[in-house]
Amino acid sequence: MPSTSSPATPAPTQHECVISLGTNIEPEHHFAQALEILSSECGLLATSEAVRTAPVGFQQQPDFLNAALLVRTTLARDAFKAYLKEVEHRLGRVRGPIKSGPRTMDLDIVAWDGEVVDEGYYQHDYVRGPVDEVLAASGRTLSVGTLP
């Protein structure tokens, strides 16, 4: 007798992403809001400790609070990047004339499915330290990926 059930819908592809998080406008407040949003809308797997760092580039601004998050998403990389920009906007991010200026939130994809995709990982201790911490805590490792 032929099967009358419909074919099973394949499960969406799950991606693991390491996000670098930085804020220096009401940093504790915006850090907590970012965690709340990302943990409720993504699969938050691990969070590094937040560290205070001096600004890079434009110096006449408050220190930054930096951290890394490991999340799971079904979005493709470009769609997830757009989603993170939308989260920044929800948290009040305004892009001013100074690229390295103050911000309520900066969310960048550093690694995608275990591959480094952001040169910042190699260039800045404030990115690499928290990323390495979140990876070690979750038992993950990184390989060199396709850098821009």
Side-chain angles (χ1 to χ4, degrees):
M1 175 184 246
S3 172
T4 58
S5 65
S6 61
T9 305
T13 301
Q14 293 281 318
H15 299 282
E16 286 190 1
C17 176
V18 179
I19 303 166
S20 176
L21 178 152
T23 172
N24 72 340
I25 297 174
E26 297 180 52
E28 289 79 9
H29 170 74
H30 289 111
F31 182 84
Q33 281 193 314
L35 280 178
E36 184 178 316
I37 290 169
L38 293 168
S39 63
S40 69
E41 297 178 0
C42 301
L44 182 62
L45 302 173
T47 305
S48 74
E49 292 292 323
V51 294
R52 289 219 177 261
T53 60
V56 173
F58 180 67
Q59 298 292 307
Q60 289 72 40
Q61 62 181 323
D63 287 349
F64 279 81
L65 193 60
N66 293 100
L69 311 174
L70 176 64
V71 301
R72 185 172 287 143
T73 181
T74 58
L75 296 175
R77 188 164 129 194
D78 287 343
F80 192 69
K81 182 177 181 177
Y83 162 76
L84 291 177
K85 297 308 166 201
E86 186 265 328
V87 171
E88 290 176 351
H89 179 74
R90 286 164 49 192
L91 293 171
R93 171 99 187 242
V94 175
R95 296 182 189 280
I98 302 170
K99 182 172 174 21
S100 62
R103 70 238 13 230
T104 56
M105 186 55 57
D106 187 27
L107 299 169
D108 295 310
I109 298 172
V110 176
W112 187 261
D113 289 336
E115 293 186 356
V116 176
V117 296
D118 186 321
E119 291 176 355
Y121 176 78
Y122 299 109
Q123 296 171 342
H124 304 292
D125 289 339
Y126 66 84
V127 174
R128 186 174 44 259
V131 168
D132 288 349
E133 179 187 330
V134 82
L135 292 170
S138 63
R140 287 6 180 236
T141 58
L142 292 178
S143 62
V144 176
T146 308
L147 296 175

